[in-house]
Amino acid sequence: MKQDIRHLFRDDDASGKQLPDNHRQEFYDKLKASRPRRESKINTSYLIRVAALIVVFLGLTFTIFKTIDNRSTQIVESSSMETQIEAIEKEYLASIDVEWQNFLAVANDQRLVSRYKDKLDDLDADYKEISKQFKTDTNNIFVIESLVENLQTRLQLLKDIQEHINVLNQKTEQYETINI
């Protein structure tokens, strides 16, 4: 029974037939249909969860950096305002000290000195209280105005005292001049 396969096809009636024109397309379609479907190794719900986590992470990161940037800007603004207020405070306190020393040099009456010392101590206690409020709320303009107003009041009080003493001294000199 050993035969050459070529001889078998020569004698066969099917060898002379023509294939239909769409034979190739039908063959490919049947081949695709018979091939087993490959399932995706990656689960789509898993991909959606990962994508959602990435979006949430990026959103939180952006929010945190934006918050940090705003805080650093506020800190810089607050520190520059605090620096300016400290400079004003030093200037006023230096002027107050100079006026107080001038008052002590001219004043003869210890009761007058102690009375004005008490008034200045009260103003100083108020100033310390306002300073505490300022440290808790540095952006409150009313607190800042209160600080400056307190310092101005103390300075004006000392200048008024100084002026009053100068007037009294002038009157005393006039009486001495008249008596001589």
Side-chain angles (χ1 to χ4, degrees), residues 78-171:
S78 296
S79 65
S80 66
M81 185 187 311
E82 289 174 7
T83 305
Q84 291 174 351
I85 290 174
E86 286 175 5
I88 292 170
E89 178 185 22
K90 286 180 183 179
E91 181 180 325
Y92 271 109
L93 289 176
S95 297
I96 289 169
D97 190 44
V98 166
E99 290 295 326
W100 181 251
Q101 294 304 322
N102 290 341
F103 169 67
L104 290 178
V106 176
N108 305 1
D109 189 6
Q110 288 301 322
R111 284 187 352 197
L112 182 68
V113 171
S114 66
R115 190 173 71 187
Y116 282 114
K117 176 80 171 145
D118 291 340
K119 285 184 180 182
L120 287 175
D121 288 342
D122 288 342
L123 286 171
D124 190 45
D126 290 343
Y127 184 80
K128 288 178 182 176
E129 196 64 35
I130 296 169
S131 293
K132 288 178 186 176
Q133 290 176 357
F134 174 71
K135 289 178 182 174
T136 58
D137 187 13
T138 58
N139 293 330
N140 191 343
I141 192 70
F142 296 117
V143 173
I144 296 169
E145 287 176 353
S146 296
L147 285 172
V148 173
E149 185 178 326
N150 183 287
L151 290 170
Q152 288 174 339
T153 303
R154 284 198 269 173
L155 186 60
Q156 189 60 43
L157 178 67
L158 288 171
K159 286 183 178 182
D160 290 345
I161 295 168
Q162 187 73 23
E163 185 178 320
H164 181 71
I165 289 175
N166 286 338
V167 168
L168 289 176
N169 285 342
Q170 287 175 356
K171 286 182 181 178

Side-chain angles (χ1 to χ4, degrees), residues 8-17:
L8 284 175
F9 281 113
R10 270 190 224 151
D11 296 336
D12 192 18
D13 292 335
S15 62
K17 289 186 179 180

